[in-house]
């Protein structure tokens, strides 16, 4: 129990409370529970102290402090006032001299004094200088003391008041005068011409009242310090007065009695045992809770601890005389938490204070709280771990791994085969055929079938019942249960022999559909599964079931998108002789994208190569990619140049975008696509290309030099506001053209400039085939986890030999047709195509005749021997012939019909100077 300095331990005399008894006790008598310590007697209460007066020590000290502070303040104020006046005069003198000298030396003042009207020139500048300098006046005088300037214009021309004669001899004059504006200090300085002659004087003055000195600014500080000193003196005196009151006067009997009554009530009401021990090991005080916990006798107070019959463990802690914090000991059947603190610190009496708490029930509650905490932690970890990927098998494995060792010793997860394949699970009766998707065990030799094993569910077993009802069940003692063994009698014997003794099965259900079953087994832990474990298992399995169903849906949609994408991409490249082509296509791991590539043979032995990328992922991007690829094929049949083809493709994307926005909202709109279209001519070795927001191609020369052609990259498709531009390159034979999508050179860890440099390094190797080039590029640039589709197209250029090209200029004369036919027949004979001569002559006769009749010059005929025989007739007209059926009475109109019948393919290609009509004939 604490003691209060200056207060009596015992209550006051009886007269103070009106009691008739001779004395009053605080609490109970000695030896009774809660009685006050022995040896304490009351003392008569002294009278209440009177308020502090000046005659008291505190009052006298306070009065002395006030007098000293006031004297110091008065002395400081007087000193500051005197100092302030001196400082003000000095400051006024200094400023007046400085201003007068500055203005006397200002440019133009000498010329102004010698001018016919000095006042007109000097008055404005003097006023401005006065205001800027903060003085009261600046007056310019002539050598006779007549004013040229003054703040009051009425005084200009009057005699200056002051002694200015020393200034005429070159001295600086300062004097104190009392003018109309009060006491002031004025300075007079001469104005010297460049030759040293004094041509006038300048006087500047300032009133002393307008000059504030540092001493005046210190006056508030002195007064504030004085006020603070008075405040500190007052507060200190009040604190001293209160301390003196506490040390010299006690409490009244009423207050003392009330304090002891409250102390006894609190001491016996707390649910914690309290003991106060003396320095000699005697028990001075104890409350009712301490008596109950230690089974103390009624007369325990005042007796040594060793005589109270305490258990050895609590007796050792209480008698040790050292600090003890929450040490748990047994006292009979109780588990006590003991705290001991010595009381002799800071000059207190010898002894100690001990508190006791009954922790028997708290230990049980703590155990249950720890179990609940472990289960909550398991649920949290499962929520974070299970479902980290959209993979069905991996999700099942995560459920098994997170629960093994923390909830069960072995976990098996079996799923319906449709779920593993991404299909819809059966909606009818429970599936009787499942496949093991996950198996995890604390030991390396679990007695269960491995992952991938088909599980045939026996209809009469508890497993089939759980699947049909969807209700989890627990088998606390497997050795005593029989029905579960019917599923696999031999396997059940192995399980029991392994030490597995308890089972908990929970069906995997999500969105009302049964996906499979999870079974939890215990072998290492001795405690079996209980009914309380069902709730935890259901929480774990329900979360895992939703994640598995999400993964199943993703697997199905991903498979559909991949199937659609693969069906829209070219399965094989067309046969042609202009380019040796190799390609690679790698879909993204996160989802299906809209990248595509194409190789399209064109008339005239030419070949077009295309790569493109639709913005976005998923089915919509794949479907849009298919539409764009089909459109490019259709536009290519028109043999359009690259810039016109991209222009038509841009219009198509805009139209698709508008249709999707009108039917499906903004979320279904096409946000754009990029495309690179390239045409290579093996005859001229020229490459024509245009880009719609796509990365530039790489050109690898035969010596291994890599360049990125400067290509005017237009905006992506669907966003074009300007026409696309075409670039022509002359490509050496054996060069490699590398086309790619941005997924190859750009990802989250690498910007496009770094990717292009890596691509340059990978391509800088001469004499590589397209297949080897694809392998080199992917080996150097392929990310570990591609976030976007990658399309790569590598083509090595070939040149059509000159001996397989024949060309003639045709005059615009129908008689020249026979000469063309003869030359063609001769060239076909050289190529060994005698059998094709008749048909070729017929075709060329009709085409050349039409060019002469309907076209304009120049007219040219060209034969190309490639995979087929190609005939081309060009002229300077842009009029295209049309195939039609001639009537029986028509004299013409059958020429193109015959051409179409004898040629395998035919068409028209427009050029910058006209058109080309071409035909292709197969080589037998």
């Amino acid at each position: 129990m604490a003691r209060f300095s200056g207060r009596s331990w015992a209550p006051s005399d009886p007269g103070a409370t009106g009691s008739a008894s001779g004395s009053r006790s605080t609490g109970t008598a000695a030896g009774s529970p809660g009685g006050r310590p022995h040896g304490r007697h009351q003392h008569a209460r002294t009278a209440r102290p009177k308020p502090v007066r000046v005659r008291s020590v505190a009052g006298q000290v306070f009065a002395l402090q006030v007098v000293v502070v006031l004297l110091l303040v008065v002395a400081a104020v007087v000193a500051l006032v005197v100092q302030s006046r001196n400082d003000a005069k000095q400051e006024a003198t200094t400023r007046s001299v400085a201003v007068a000298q500055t203005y006397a030396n200002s440019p133009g003042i000498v010329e102004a004094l010698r001018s016919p009207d000095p006042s007109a020139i000097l008055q404005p500048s003097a006023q401005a200088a006065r205001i800027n300098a903060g003085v009261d006046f600046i007056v310019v005088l002539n050598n006779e003391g007549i004013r040229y300037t003054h703040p009051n214009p009425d005084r200009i021309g009057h005699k200056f008041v002051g002694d200015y004669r020393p200034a005429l001899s070159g001295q600086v004059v300062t004097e104190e005068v009392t003018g109309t504006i009060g006491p002031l200090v004025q300075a007079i300085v001469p104005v010297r011409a460049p030759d040293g002659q004094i041509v006038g004087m300048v006087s500047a003055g300032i009133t002393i009242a307008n000059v504030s000195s540092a001493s005046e600014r210190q006056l508030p500080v002195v007064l504030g310090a004085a006020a603070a000193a008075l405040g500190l003196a007052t507060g200190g005196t009040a604190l001293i007065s209160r301390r003196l009151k506490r040390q010299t006067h006690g409490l009244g009997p009423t207050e003392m009695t009330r304090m002891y009554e409250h102390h006894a009530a609190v001491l016996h009401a707390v649910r914690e045992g309290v003991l106060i021990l003396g320095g000699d090991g005697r028990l001075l005080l104890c409350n009712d809770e301490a008596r109950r916990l230690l089974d103390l006798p009624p007369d325990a107070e005042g007796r040594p601890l060793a005589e109270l019959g305490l258990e050895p463990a609590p007796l050792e802690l209480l008698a040790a005389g050292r600090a003890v914090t929450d040490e748990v000991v047994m006292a009979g059947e109780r588990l006590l938490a003991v705290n001991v603190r010595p009381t002799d610190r800071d000059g207190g009496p010898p002894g100690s204070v001990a508190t006791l708490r009954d922790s028997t029930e708290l230990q049980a509650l703590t155990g249950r709280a720890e179990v609940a905490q472990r289960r909550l932690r398991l649920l949290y970890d499962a929520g974070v771990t299970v479902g980290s990927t959209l993979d069905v098998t991996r999700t099942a494995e995560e459920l098994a791994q997170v629960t093994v060792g923390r909830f069960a010793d072995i976990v098996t997860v079996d799923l319906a085969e449709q779920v593993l394949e991404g299909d819809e699970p059966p909606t009818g009766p429970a599936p009787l055929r499942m496949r093991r998707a996950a198996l995890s065990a604390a030991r390396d030799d679990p007695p269960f079938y491995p992952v991938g094993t088909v599980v045939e569910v026996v209809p009469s077993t508890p497993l089939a019942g759980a699947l049909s009802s969807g209700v989890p069940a627990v088998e606390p003692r497997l050795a005593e249960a029989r029905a579960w063994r019917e599923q696999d009698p031999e396997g059940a014997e192995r399980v029991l022999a392994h030490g597995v003794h308890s089972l908990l099965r929970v069906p995997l259900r999500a969105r009302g559909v049964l996906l499979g079953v999870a079974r939890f087994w215990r072998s290492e832990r001795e405690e079996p599964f209980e009914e309380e474990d069902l709730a935890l298992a259901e929480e774990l399995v329900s979360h895992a079931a939703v994640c598995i169903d999400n993964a199943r849906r993703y697997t199905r949609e991903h498979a559909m998108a991949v199937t659609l994408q693969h069906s829209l991409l070219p399965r094989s490249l067309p046969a042609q002789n202009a380019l040796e082509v190799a390609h690679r296509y790698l879909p993204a791991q996160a989802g299906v994208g809209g990248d595509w590539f194409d190789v399209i043979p064109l008339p005239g032995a030419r070949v077009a190569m295309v790569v493109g990328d639709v913005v976005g992922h998923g089915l919509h991007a794949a479907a849009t990619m298919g539409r764009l690829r089909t459109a490019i094929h259709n536009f290519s049949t028109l043999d359009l140049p690259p810039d016109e083809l991209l222009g038509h493709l841009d219009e198509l994307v805009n139209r698709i975008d508008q249709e999707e926005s009108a039917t499906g909202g903004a979320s279904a709109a096409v946000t754009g696509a990029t495309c690179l279209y390239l045409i290579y001519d093996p005859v001229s070795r020229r490459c024509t290309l245009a880009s719609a927001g796509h990365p530039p191609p790489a050109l690898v020369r035969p010596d291994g030099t890599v360049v990125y052609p400067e290509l005017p990259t237009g905006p992506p498709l669907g966003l074009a506001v300007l026409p696309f531009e075409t670039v022509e390159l002359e490509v050496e034979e054996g060069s490699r053209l590398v086309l790619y999508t941005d997924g190859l050179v750009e990802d989250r860890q690498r910007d496009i400039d770094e990717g292009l440099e890596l691509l340059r390094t990978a391509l800088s190797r001469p004499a590589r085939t397209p297949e080897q080039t694809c392998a080199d590029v992917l080996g150097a640039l392929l990310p570990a986890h591609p976030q976007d589709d990658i399309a790569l197209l590598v083509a090595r250029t070939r040149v059509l030999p000159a001996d397989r090209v024949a060309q003639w200029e045709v005059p615009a004369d129908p008689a020249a047709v026979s000469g063309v036919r003869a030359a063609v027949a001769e060239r076909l004979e050289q190529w060994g195509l005698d059998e094709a001569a008749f048909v070729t002559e017929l075709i060329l006769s009709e085409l050349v005749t039409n060019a002469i009749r309907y076209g304009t010059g120049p007219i040219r005929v060209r034969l190309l021997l490639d995979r087929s025989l190609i005939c081309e007739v060009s002229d300077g007209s842009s009029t295209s012939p049309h195939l039609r059926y001639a009537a029986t009475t028509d004299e013409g109109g059958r020429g193109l019909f015959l051409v179409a019948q004898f040629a395998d393919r035919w068409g028209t290609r427009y050029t910058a100077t006209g058109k080309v009509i071409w035909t292709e004939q197969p080589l037998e």
Side-chain angles (χ1 to χ4, degrees):
M1 180 183 292
R3 295 184 59 190
F4 298 89
S5 58
R7 292 176 172 82
S8 173
W9 181 271
S12 58
D13 60 88
T17 59
S19 174
S21 60
S23 65
R24 293 192 61 181
S25 173
T26 303
T28 58
S32 62
R36 60 176 175 82
H38 298 279
R40 301 289 183 180
H41 303 283
Q42 338 175 341
H43 299 280
R45 178 179 175 183
T46 58
R48 182 180 298 274
K50 297 181 180 180
V52 177
R53 298 178 181 176
V54 177
R55 295 178 181 178
S56 65
V57 176
Q60 294 174 358
V61 171
F62 176 68
L64 179 61
Q65 289 177 341
V66 171
V67 172
V68 171
V69 170
L70 290 178
L71 289 176
L72 290 176
V73 170
V74 170
V77 169
V78 171
L80 284 175
V81 170
V82 174
Q83 182 66 30
S84 175
R85 295 186 62 184
N86 294 335
D87 290 347
K89 291 180 181 180
Q90 183 63 34
E91 176 69 16
T93 302
T94 303
R95 287 176 61 181
S96 299
V97 172
V99 171
Q101 288 180 337
T102 301
Y103 191 75
N105 296 321
S106 61
I109 189 170
V110 176
E111 289 78 4
L113 288 171
R114 290 176 176 176
S115 65
D117 190 359
S119 296
I121 299 174
L122 297 175
Q123 176 68 9
S125 63
Q127 287 295 93
R130 178 184 65 81
I131 295 172
N132 293 333
V135 297
D136 291 303
F137 63 86
I138 296 178
V139 177
V140 181
L141 315 174
N142 61 11
N143 291 344
E144 286 76 24
I146 302 302
R147 301 186 183 101
Y148 286 150
T149 65
H150 196 277
N152 186 358
D154 293 338
R155 299 186 181 182
I156 297 175
H158 294 277
K159 191 75 172 180
F160 179 74
V161 178
D163 186 10
Y164 59 85
R165 285 185 299 276
L168 294 176
S169 60
Q171 300 181 15
V172 176
V173 180
T174 59
E175 56 183 353
E176 296 182 19
V177 297
T178 301
T180 58
I181 57 177
L184 57 86
V185 176
Q186 63 183 10
I188 307 169
V189 299
V191 178
R192 295 180 183 272
D195 56 0
Q197 180 184 359
I198 296 175
V199 297
M201 295 166 287
V202 175
S203 175
I206 184 172
T207 58
I208 297 176
N210 291 338
V211 180
S212 62
S213 65
S215 300
E216 293 179 353
R217 291 191 295 270
Q218 294 175 358
L219 185 59
V221 178
V222 173
L223 295 178
L230 289 175
L232 288 175
T234 303
T237 303
L239 291 175
I240 293 173
S241 176
R242 292 181 61 185
R243 184 171 182 83
L244 291 174
K245 178 181 177 181
R246 287 196 303 267
Q247 291 181 350
T248 58
H249 301 281
L251 295 176
T254 304
E255 289 83 359
M256 182 67 75
T257 302
R258 185 180 300 112
M259 180 188 70
Y260 276 95
E261 289 175 351
H262 290 171
H263 157 72
V266 172
L267 185 65
H268 296 293
V270 296
R271 291 298 304 273
E272 208 174 81
V274 179
L275 301 127
I276 298 180
L277 308 173
D280 56 355
R282 292 180 178 273
L283 178 62
L284 300 181
L285 183 142
C286 64
N287 65 351
D288 294 343
E289 184 68 9
R291 293 177 181 276
R292 184 182 71 85
L293 295 177
L294 296 177
D295 294 328
L296 296 177
D299 58 346
E301 292 184 351
R303 297 172 55 184
L305 287 176
E307 299 178 1
L308 300 179
L310 301 179
E311 296 281 344
L315 178 61
E316 180 181 357
L317 289 180
L318 295 174
R322 58 181 176 86
V324 175
T325 302
D326 285 337
E327 289 200 21
V328 180
V329 296
M330 292 297 297
E333 297 181 355
R334 295 186 178 92
L335 191 66
L336 301 181
V338 181
N339 287 272
V340 179
R341 292 291 183 273
T343 58
D344 56 357
R345 296 179 181 178
D346 301 327
S352 60
V353 177
T355 61
L356 310 172
R357 292 196 312 273
D358 190 354
S359 302
T360 308
E361 298 177 357
L362 181 61
Q363 185 182 29
L365 292 174
T366 303
R368 289 196 294 271
E370 291 177 354
V371 171
Q373 186 177 12
R374 287 197 299 268
R375 292 187 173 185
L376 288 174
R377 185 66 184 177
L378 176 59
L379 287 174
Y380 172 78
D381 292 343
V384 173
T385 304
V386 179
S388 61
T389 63
L390 290 173
D391 182 83
V392 173
T393 303
R394 180 57 189 159
T395 304
E397 292 173 352
E398 290 170 346
L399 171 63
Q401 292 170 359
V402 78
T403 51
V404 165
R406 303 172 65 178
F407 180 69
D409 300 315
I410 305 171
V411 179
T412 59
V413 180
D414 303 325
L415 300 176
E417 291 187 327
Q418 297 91 331
V419 175
L420 291 171
E421 295 170 0
D423 297 333
E424 289 289 339
T427 57
L432 298 180
R433 180 183 177 87
M434 295 186 294
R435 189 177 297 274
R436 181 140 297 167
L439 169 63
S440 183
R443 292 168 50 180
D444 296 333
D445 56 343
F448 294 96
Y449 294 115
V451 173
T453 305
V454 176
V455 179
E456 299 286 350
V457 181
V458 178
S460 60
T461 59
L463 176 60
L467 292 174
S468 299
S469 63
V471 178
V474 60
E475 299 281 357
R477 287 172 288 278
L478 285 177
E480 301 175 4
R482 298 294 176 183
W484 72 278
R485 304 187 186 189
E486 298 178 6
Q487 173 65 35
D488 184 7
E490 296 181 1
E493 295 299 328
R494 291 196 304 270
V495 168
L496 294 175
H498 189 77
V500 179
H501 59 83
S502 187
L503 164 66
L504 195 156
R505 65 178 70 88
V506 183
L508 282 156
R509 299 181 66 88
R511 302 177 177 93
V513 179
L514 181 67
L515 306 176
V517 63
R519 285 179 282 183
F520 304 89
W521 315 77
R522 280 186 179 174
S523 59
E524 307 299 323
R525 301 185 179 206
E526 297 181 359
E527 64 274 11
F529 284 114
E530 300 176 352
E531 293 295 331
E532 327 184 308
D533 297 321
L534 281 177
L536 176 61
E538 283 186 283
E539 288 287 339
L540 293 169
V541 172
S542 62
H543 171 70
V546 172
C547 295
I548 290 174
D549 191 54
N550 290 339
R552 177 195 63 79
R553 291 168 179 261
Y554 172 79
T555 302
R556 181 187 61 183
E557 294 178 1
H558 184 72
M560 292 172 58
V562 169
T563 302
L564 173 63
Q565 185 186 46
H566 287 176
S567 67
L568 296 175
L569 288 171
R571 301 188 180 183
S572 62
L573 298 180
Q576 44 80 32
N577 292 337
L579 298 171
E580 180 186 354
V581 183
H583 68 279
R584 295 288 188 275
Y585 187 87
L586 301 176
Q589 292 185 355
V592 175
D595 293 14
W596 85 92
F597 65 92
D598 250 321
V599 177
I600 306 172
L602 297 178
R606 296 169 304 133
V607 177
M609 292 198 304
V610 188
V611 290
D613 183 5
V614 175
V615 176
H617 292 83
L619 288 174
H620 185 71
T624 303
M625 176 268 290
R627 299 173 73 175
L628 295 181
R629 181 170 175 260
T630 303
I632 290 176
H633 274 270
N634 293 334
F635 292 144
S636 298
T637 59
L638 301 177
D639 211 347
L640 299 174
D643 55 343
E644 293 185 20
L645 185 142
L646 291 181
H648 289 295
L649 202 62
D650 179 69
E651 292 180 4
L652 175 63
V653 171
N654 281 326
R655 217 163 34 242
I656 294 174
D657 194 3
Q658 293 172 3
E659 293 174 358
E660 295 290 344
S661 299
T663 58
S667 60
V670 178
T671 56
T674 64
C675 182
L676 177 66
Y677 189 81
L678 178 150
I679 298 177
Y680 173 69
D681 188 348
V683 178
S684 63
R685 293 186 293 107
R686 299 195 67 81
C687 180
T688 307
L689 63 161
S691 173
H694 203 81
L699 174 61
V700 186
R701 296 192 176 97
D703 60 356
T705 305
V706 181
V707 296
Y708 294 104
E710 291 189 5
L711 181 64
T713 303
L717 299 174
L719 304 176
V721 294
L722 297 174
F724 297 96
E725 298 183 44
T726 299
V727 171
E728 287 192 3
L729 306 173
E730 187 169 345
V731 182
E732 302 176 55
E733 183 178 4
S735 299
R736 285 170 288 168
L737 293 169
V738 181
L739 284 68
Y740 51 90
T741 55
D742 59 355
L744 178 68
V745 295
E746 185 179 16
D747 59 16
R748 294 178 181 176
Q749 287 77 32
R750 180 176 62 202
D751 59 23
I752 190 169
D753 293 333
E754 182 183 355
L756 291 176
E757 192 59 34
L758 290 175
L759 178 60
R760 183 194 301 273
T761 303
L763 294 174
S764 299
R765 301 178 62 183
R768 305 291 289 175
T769 65
E771 285 291 339
Q772 292 171 337
T773 303
C774 288
D776 293 343
V777 169
L778 293 182
L781 280 85
L782 184 64
H785 303 285
Q787 301 296 319
D788 195 5
D789 291 4
I790 296 175
L792 176 64
L793 200 60
V794 180
R796 184 162 60 184
T797 61
R798 297 170 178 166
V799 176
L800 191 64
D803 59 355
R804 292 189 170 217
V805 181
Q807 185 169 338
W808 299 273
E809 293 281 344
V810 181
D813 184 1
V817 176
S818 59
V820 173
R821 294 174 61 181
V824 168
E826 181 181 355
R827 180 53 62 95
L828 292 179
E829 183 180 357
Q830 294 175 5
W831 289 345
L833 299 175
D834 297 339
E835 296 180 357
F838 174 75
V839 174
T840 304
E841 290 179 20
L842 178 63
I843 292 173
L844 285 177
S845 296
E846 180 60 33
L847 295 180
V848 173
T849 302
N850 285 343
I852 294 173
R853 179 177 299 176
Y854 303 109
T856 60
I859 300 173
R860 295 184 180 89
V861 174
R862 188 172 72 166
L863 290 184
L864 303 176
L865 181 58
D866 192 41
R867 302 180 69 88
S868 62
L869 180 61
I870 302 171
C871 301
E872 295 181 349
V873 177
S874 62
D875 62 70
S877 172
S878 60
T879 303
S880 175
H882 296 282
L883 180 66
R884 67 183 181 88
Y885 290 94
T888 55
T889 59
D890 291 342
E891 295 182 1
R894 298 177 179 86
L896 282 181
F897 181 78
L898 293 175
V899 171
Q901 293 299 315
F902 286 107
D904 190 30
R905 298 171 58 213
W906 76 280
T908 303
R909 178 172 75 253
Y910 293 95
T911 65
T913 59
K915 67 176 182 296
V916 176
I917 301 177
W918 56 269
T919 64
E920 291 184 5
Q921 299 168 242
L923 299 177
E924 296 179 359

